[in-house]
Amino acid sequence: VQGMVSKFQNLSKADMERRQEFEADWEAKHQQFKDQCRHVEAQMQQRHQDQLKALQDKLERGFRAEPPASAQLGSMKRMQKILVQHKRFAEALDLLKVAESK
């Protein structure tokens, strides 16, 4: 009986050592994982910040740009030019007012 008890005591010491080794490895891997998470999060925040800046710049340029003339507006401008060439200034002015209202 005494031999069996000492055998179990030795086994439990070995088990304790394995458990402590496992926990130390687990803690190291967990810390490595948390470090990697912080790194990835920092990269993601920087990428999102860069994308936001690019989008804001693009939108800002879009608001400052003159919108392209529509086909109807181009037609009105050509008609106005013809009316001015024929000295029909009142009609050209009316056409200008209509074009500006659009």
Side-chain angles (χ1 to χ4, degrees), residues 19-31:
R19 181 174 171 253
Q20 288 173 349
E21 185 180 323
F22 173 79
E23 286 180 359
D25 287 345
W26 179 263
E27 286 299 319
K29 287 182 182 184
H30 188 250
Q31 185 61 41

Side-chain angles (χ1 to χ4, degrees), residues 33-77:
F33 174 76
K34 289 197 293 188
D35 292 343
Q36 184 180 6
C37 285
R38 280 192 287 273
H39 177 71
V40 169
E41 184 178 3
Q43 284 180 328
M44 184 174 43
Q45 286 176 342
Q46 184 62 45
R47 186 176 64 237
H48 287 176
Q49 212 171 30
D50 294 344
Q51 289 174 345
L52 176 63
K53 178 76 171 124
L55 181 60
Q56 286 173 334
D57 291 345
K58 181 180 177 182
L59 288 174
E60 193 66 34
R61 283 191 308 272
F63 286 130
R64 282 190 237 129
E66 181 90 14
S70 67
Q72 185 181 12
L73 185 59
S75 173
M76 287 178 158
K77 286 183 178 184

Side-chain angles (χ1 to χ4, degrees), residues 73-86:
L73 185 59
S75 173
M76 287 178 158
K77 286 183 178 184
R78 284 189 296 278
M79 180 59 90
Q80 182 185 10
K81 187 176 182 180
I82 293 170
L83 289 171
V84 168
Q85 287 173 350
H86 288 94

Side-chain angles (χ1 to χ4, degrees), residues 2-25:
Q2 190 70 339
M4 289 183 76
V5 170
S6 67
K7 185 178 178 182
F8 283 115
Q9 286 176 346
N10 290 339
L11 251 177
S12 70
K13 285 180 186 177
D15 286 342
M16 288 296 284
E17 289 174 3
R18 278 199 329 240
R19 181 174 171 253
Q20 288 173 349
E21 185 180 323
F22 173 79
E23 286 180 359
D25 287 345

